[in-house]
Amino acid sequence: MTDQPATDQPSESVERANEIQAPTATAVLTHVVRSIVDDADAVHVDAVEGRNRLKLEVKVGPGDLGRVIGRRGRTAQSIRTVVRAAATRDGVEVDVDFVD
Amino acid sequence: MEWVEFTARTLEEAKDLALDRLGVAADDAEFEVLAEPKPGLFGRLRGEARVRARVRPAQARQKIDRRERRPRKAAAAAAEGGEAAAKPAKAPTKDRVHAGPKPRAKPRQQSDQPDQPEPADTELVTPQRTQEHNDVNARQVGDEARKFIDELVAAFSFTGTTELIEDGDDLEIRVHGDNLGLLVGPRGTTLQAVQDLARVASQRRLGDHDTRLRIDIGGYRQRRKEALDRFALQMAEEVKQSGVARVLEPMSSADRKIVHDALSGVEGIATRSEGDDPYRRVVITPANDG
């Protein structure tokens, strides 16, 4: 499992933000999402600097968004809960966004 | 997931009992009414309401066809040919293997091993899904869930060991280690989320409906259960002494189940749940009070 997507290289700054600011949160998020979807290789996590918190953007393969979000957003909420807990180890607050 | 069956004076009560036994919210359960309550003379009850229920299976099942984990494609093809039962199950080899592969959205065929009781007076048509059998065994689900948890702990840069406890379809993964409090979170919220995700990653992904998976981290659930047991018994004692019903604070379905279970053997009181999640709460009443 790697913290970075294998393809679709993010820009230098994004990648640095990803590595430096929230390594634990990113590792946890990547692991969880990859464990849930059908197409684990299509999972990409990017860190984007927000105004005062870090935004982790998750991209999943076509058709996998439903499973990641879950019934009534329950899975998405669980992911956010766990990732925010992980982010405290990085000393940052994060948001998690899911995109198709 | 197996069916549970309950009788009570009203349909509502029977459903409540079933929900608490299953430990899920109403939205996540499906019901069949087996018998409506029949009123008798003078408010006596001639027949009680009977309901059976189970945890609603996850919906996104067709996706599993795209996985290479298990021979789903072959299963579906075989089912279309009407030979589901004749097709040898390839992957599952452990003890819990049932008859054929399980086609989704196809009428279920004869099963030679019904795993739920068929009540004689079933009034509603049994949904076809009740006939399904699972071709995923508990060990596979447990292994998958444990792997998920192991990797999660590692991703958190924690060190811990995991233990898988199998008791038939009841699976529990216990995580041992120091300073795992972050994975439990305030009032167990993070632990609950971890458990949800482990379920998605194992049961749902493998298309399993039979096992019950629980996660405990750092002994939190055990301690919580012990505290709740004590609390419930204390409340029950008060109700018995005072003869006045007592409404507990809203709790999760898992906690309500602990309370109901703790008090199921206590004479002189009865328990039920009221309200809708997330405000659903247990009510302890004197036994003759309803």
Side-chain angles (χ1 to χ4, degrees):
Chain A
M1 194 180 74
T2 64
D3 288 1
Q4 297 159 30
T7 58
D8 185 24
Q9 285 297 324
S11 72
E12 188 81 274
S13 62
V14 164
E15 193 167 323
R16 185 161 297 148
N18 199 348
E19 278 179 9
I20 293 173
Q21 296 200 27
T24 314
T26 306
V28 167
L29 179 58
T30 306
H31 163 57
V32 168
V33 175
R34 284 176 62 95
S35 302
I36 288 174
V37 297
D38 280 338
D39 187 358
D41 292 336
V43 174
H44 299 270
V45 176
D46 288 339
V48 183
E49 292 264 19
R51 247 155 290 170
N52 41 17
R53 31 167 61 193
L54 198 64
K55 190 162 81 177
L56 298 179
E57 252 183 28
V58 186
K59 289 195 183 76
V60 298
D64 273 335
L65 196 61
R67 178 166 291 171
V68 171
I69 289 171
R71 237 186 347 253
R72 298 191 175 189
R74 183 171 167 167
T75 307
Q77 203 46 54
S78 294
I79 292 172
R80 290 195 177 99
T81 300
V82 173
V83 170
R84 285 190 181 134
T88 64
R89 279 180 73 75
D90 303 322
V92 293
E93 289 189 23
V94 296
D95 285 326
V96 180
D97 275 5
F98 301 96
V99 286
D100 222 339
Chain B
M1 188 66 76
E2 74 267 39
W3 291 85
V4 296
E5 202 176 308
F6 279 93
T7 57
R9 291 166 64 93
T10 67
L11 283 178
E12 275 310 301
E13 279 179 38
K15 284 184 180 179
D16 283 348
L17 288 169
L19 282 180
D20 287 346
R21 169 56 56 90
L22 293 173
V24 298
D27 289 339
D28 291 332
E30 63 184 30
F31 292 106
E32 277 177 61
V33 176
L34 301 177
E36 302 269 353
K38 298 190 192 74
L41 282 179
F42 310 123
R44 285 211 185 101
L45 221 52
R46 270 201 305 134
E48 295 202 300
R50 272 177 70 205
V51 164
R52 67 183 194 139
R54 68 167 180 174
V55 177
R56 191 187 297 280
Q59 270 133 24
R61 293 294 300 287
Q62 294 83 347
K63 287 183 156 191
I64 287 161
D65 285 343
R66 294 202 264 119
R67 294 188 161 276
E68 298 302 323
R69 306 178 154 269
R70 296 189 299 123
R72 282 267 170 193
K73 275 175 193 158
E80 273 164 35
E83 296 174 329
K87 177 93 183 168
K90 212 162 39 175
T93 52
K94 301 262 167 61
D95 45 0
R96 267 177 13 83
V97 172
H98 291 301
K102 174 172 53 181
R104 197 67 193 168
K106 292 271 177 220
R108 180 66 196 179
Q109 311 189 342
Q110 270 296 57
S111 56
D112 53 7
Q113 243 186 344
D115 56 357
Q116 69 274 325
E118 275 302 325
D121 57 346
T122 300
E123 287 176 15
L124 298 187
V125 178
T126 304
Q128 48 123 344
R129 284 192 294 193
T130 67
Q131 294 294 318
E132 271 178 15
H133 280 144
N134 216 310
D135 51 1
V136 185
N137 66 41
R139 172 57 64 80
Q140 278 176 294
V141 175
D143 287 347
E144 195 72 22
R146 185 176 180 182
K147 180 164 157 268
F148 173 82
I149 296 292
D150 277 336
E151 289 174 13
L152 183 71
V153 171
F156 266 87
S157 309
F158 284 137
T159 45
T161 55
T162 55
E163 173 188 13
L164 171 62
I165 296 149
E166 271 185 84
D167 178 12
D169 285 340
D170 286 319
L171 303 172
E172 180 165 341
I173 292 170
R174 292 187 189 156
V175 186
H176 306 282
D178 293 330
N179 303 316
L180 295 175
L182 193 58
L183 281 167
V184 174
R187 307 176 90 221
T189 47
T190 308
L191 170 56
Q192 193 59 43
V194 167
Q195 180 172 283
D196 279 349
L197 296 174
R199 285 175 174 168
V200 177
S202 60
Q203 294 173 311
R204 214 155 298 167
R205 192 156 82 158
L206 295 176
D208 164 71
H209 297 305
D210 285 349
T211 60
R212 292 157 184 254
L213 175 65
R214 286 160 48 91
I215 312 288
D216 197 359
I217 297 175
Y220 174 81
R221 280 196 201 282
Q222 192 56 40
R223 288 195 304 276
R224 171 87 179 148
K225 181 184 181 310
E226 284 163 10
L228 259 181
D229 281 348
R230 277 196 304 276
F231 170 73
L233 289 168
Q234 191 186 326
M235 290 299 110
E237 196 53 40
E238 279 183 26
V239 170
K240 244 196 282 188
Q241 302 281 327
S242 67
V244 179
R246 190 133 191 174
V247 183
L248 307 187
E249 67 185 82
M251 290 177 197
S252 70
S253 53
D255 284 354
R256 292 197 306 268
K257 177 167 160 37
I258 289 173
V259 172
H260 288 299
D261 288 350
L263 300 184
S264 65
V266 178
E267 302 267 318
I269 53 112
T271 61
R272 62 169 191 269
S273 294
E274 285 182 359
D276 295 313
D277 279 321
Y279 303 110
R280 199 166 164 76
R281 42 182 62 190
V282 176
V283 182
I284 306 173
T285 61
N288 53 2
D289 197 38

